[in-house]
Amino acid sequence: MENLEVIELSNNGKVKAVHVKNVIHYVCRTALCEAELNGTPNDVISGIEVVERHLRQYSAANTGDSGIKAVTYDDSLLEYCFNQHNEIPGYICYWLYQFYGGLFGSPMKYSKRHCDVYNQLQKEYVHHRRWCKQNDKNDEIMRRKWRRQLCKLYRSRKYQAVFELHNTSFLDSISQKQLDDIWLLMIELFPKELNACDDEAYTAVLGYIIGKAQGLSEAAQSA
């Protein structure tokens, strides 16, 4: 097979169904291997995390030479091996062979079976999927709650001026000089509050409070 074909199949292809079980148990063996090397042979969950880390680091260092796409944080061996879709990307199989082939040979030809490890990893995958679904459910509940609160605020007309800015490019009406002035004032006048800001939302709230105080002052002066 031409090298370009290998690259194409690895980057865009999937492991053939006839080889999927072999590759899955190959992954089980690599997880067990890493757990044993770490002195915790029963902790194959941590073992598979080490496998993923090795694949990410090794593939990132060699993807330029091979032309095969690297393994990233978006890739999950548990997801690929236990989602019942039987779709393992070709590049995952390629890097498994490149990194572990000297120990265990070809993933697609691997014939040993590691049922205990398989069951542990499958259970972890199911547990993780349930956790994700619960998180998604909680997020949806929170979004509905926020939506109800937003509608309540809209009906109150308390923040009408803010709602009128919705879908407008209000930053276009603020000059760079004004933005620089505001940022300087926040840094110099409120260093304690800014240092306590853990995220952008907190910073935005602080900016809102300062802006409201300035707006009330200007309104009082013009009254």
Side-chain angles (χ1 to χ4, degrees), residues 3 12 37-38 48 84 133 204 213 220 223:
N3 191 46
N12 302 309
L37 289 174
N38 196 42
I48 200 168
Q84 304 302 313
K133 287 182 179 180

Side-chain angles (χ1 to χ4, degrees), residues 21 24 35 45 93 100 120 122 125 165 180 182 189 198 220:
K21 283 294 182 183
I24 292 175
I45 308 303
C93 190
Y100 291 102
Q120 289 182 64
Q122 185 180 52
Y125 169 73
L165 292 175
D180 292 340
I182 292 169
L189 300 184
D198 295 327

Side-chain angles (χ1 to χ4, degrees), residues 111-163:
S111 59
K112 294 182 180 179
R113 295 296 180 257
H114 307 280
C115 296
D116 289 343
V117 178
Y118 180 96
N119 291 335
Q120 289 182 64
L121 294 179
Q122 185 180 52
K123 185 181 296 185
E124 175 65 16
Y125 169 73
V126 171
H127 173 76
H128 180 70
R129 286 299 300 165
R130 287 175 178 170
W131 179 82
C132 289
K133 287 182 179 180
Q134 185 60 46
N135 269 7
D136 290 343
K137 182 179 179 181
N138 292 340
D139 288 344
E140 180 59 30
I141 292 173
M142 187 59 67
R143 281 193 293 270
R144 289 200 296 267
K145 179 181 178 181
W146 288 344
R147 186 67 182 178
R148 287 195 297 270
Q149 291 176 333
L150 192 63
C151 291
K152 185 177 180 180
L153 289 174
Y154 179 76
R155 290 193 298 270
S156 73
R157 303 186 67 81
K158 185 178 181 181
Y159 299 97
Q160 189 63 26
V162 178
F163 278 101

Side-chain angles (χ1 to χ4, degrees), residues 159-210:
Y159 299 97
Q160 189 63 26
V162 178
F163 278 101
E164 289 175 358
L165 292 175
H166 180 57
N167 284 335
T168 65
S169 300
F170 67 91
L171 283 177
D172 292 343
S173 63
I174 303 175
S175 69
Q176 186 60 49
K177 176 64 167 57
Q178 288 175 307
L179 288 174
D180 292 340
D181 289 345
I182 292 169
W183 182 239
L184 178 62
L185 289 170
M186 291 181 69
I187 290 177
E188 293 298 327
L189 300 184
F190 309 100
K192 179 180 177 181
E193 287 75 8
L194 277 178
N195 288 335
C197 292
D198 295 327
D199 53 44
E200 293 181 0
Y202 192 100
T203 307
V205 170
L206 178 61
Y208 168 79
I209 294 171
I210 295 172

Side-chain angles (χ1 to χ4, degrees), residues 43-57:
D43 191 3
V44 293
I45 308 303
S46 294
I48 200 168
E49 292 173 355
V50 174
V51 173
E52 289 181 336
R53 184 168 68 249
H54 284 327
L55 295 184
R56 287 195 300 268
Q57 293 173 346

Side-chain angles (χ1 to χ4, degrees), residues 91-110:
Y91 62 91
I92 294 292
C93 190
Y94 176 87
W95 292 117
L96 280 169
Y97 177 69
Q98 292 299 314
F99 194 83
Y100 291 102
L103 292 174
F104 310 121
S106 169
M108 291 190 291
K109 296 179 181 178
Y110 193 74

